[in-house]
Each structure stands twice: as structure tokens, then as C-alpha cells.
Amino acid sequence: QVQFVESGGGLVQPGGSLRLSCTASGGTVRLYSMAWWRQAPQKQRELIARIYIDGSTNYVPSVKGRFTIARDSAANMVYLQMNSLEPEDTAVYYCNYYAQQITWGQGTQVTVST
């Protein structure tokens, strides 16, 4: 059974950067379009970035220009580089298959605060 494991979150000051990592234990990220979601307190989970099989990417306006999604097929990893972080980016971040999600992992907490 495939399980996603996210890591790399933490506490960072506004304007700072973090790189999140995601691996698919028992599965592969190479053959699928992958995506990152986030869920802020009291809000629904939202899709923020996706990377297609051909390597093309797409972002929601709130993160475009600040976040970069990438895939390392050899390492079976998906990354989310987050720059110029804002307090509004505080959330639990998850990765999953883009087209059809499977069981969600634990996610990784990102807190942007002074």
C-alpha cells in the first residue's frame, strides 16, 4: 500500500524559506502527476502546486512566483521549495497524486511567524 511521507516543515520568520520533501513509500512518483496541498487552521485543504508527467507545473496565484514544485524520479521524491514565506502560508502541507488522491499522509507543519 502506498503511503506518502512529508517532511521539512518548521517554524520560519516571514520572508524566510523552507524546502518540503515527499516520498511515496511502497509506490512511485515517477509515473504520475503529483501535487502539494495545504490545510490552514479552520480551513479546507487546498491544492497549491502540481507537476505533470511531462514536467510542466502549475500554481495557484497565492504561491506563484514564490513556490516551486519539483520531482526527482531517481530518488522517488517530490519537493516544494518555498521562498518569501508569509504568515498566511502557515498550514499543514501534504503531497499526493494529483488526479486521484489516495490516503493522506501525516503532512508537515509549516509555521510562519515572528
Side-chain angles (χ1 to χ4, degrees):
Q1 184 172 351
V2 181
Q3 288 186 310
F4 290 107
V5 180
E6 302 90 350
S7 62
L11 173 64
V12 63
Q13 292 186 343
S17 298
L18 284 173
R19 189 178 81 152
L20 306 184
S21 301
C22 167
T23 188
S25 176
T28 179
V29 302
R30 179 171 60 89
L31 300 177
Y32 302 92
S33 295
M34 299 296 300
W36 282 94
W37 284 259
R38 68 184 179 188
Q39 187 167 19
Q42 312 302 322
K43 292 188 177 181
Q44 289 190 334
R45 187 175 290 151
E46 64 166 335
L47 173 67
I48 59 170
R50 53 191 183 260
I51 183 166
Y52 297 98
I53 295 174
D54 65 359
S56 60
T57 58
N58 189 273
Y59 304 89
V60 295
S62 60
V63 309
K64 191 172 185 178
R66 300 188 298 122
F67 291 9
T68 302
I69 186 171
R71 176 187 5 230
D72 184 338
S73 296
N76 201 37
M77 299 287 290
V78 178
Y79 302 100
L80 186 68
Q81 177 67 43
M82 306 188 297
N83 299 327
S84 302
L85 283 162
E86 304 168 352
E88 293 72 24
D89 296 317
T90 295
V92 180
Y93 285 70
Y94 304 86
C95 69
N96 211 315
Y97 296 125
Y98 167 62
Q100 187 169 359
Q101 293 81 62
I102 62 170
T103 302
W104 296 92
Q106 296 292 319
T108 186
Q109 175 70 49
V110 173
T111 303
V112 185
S113 175
T114 56

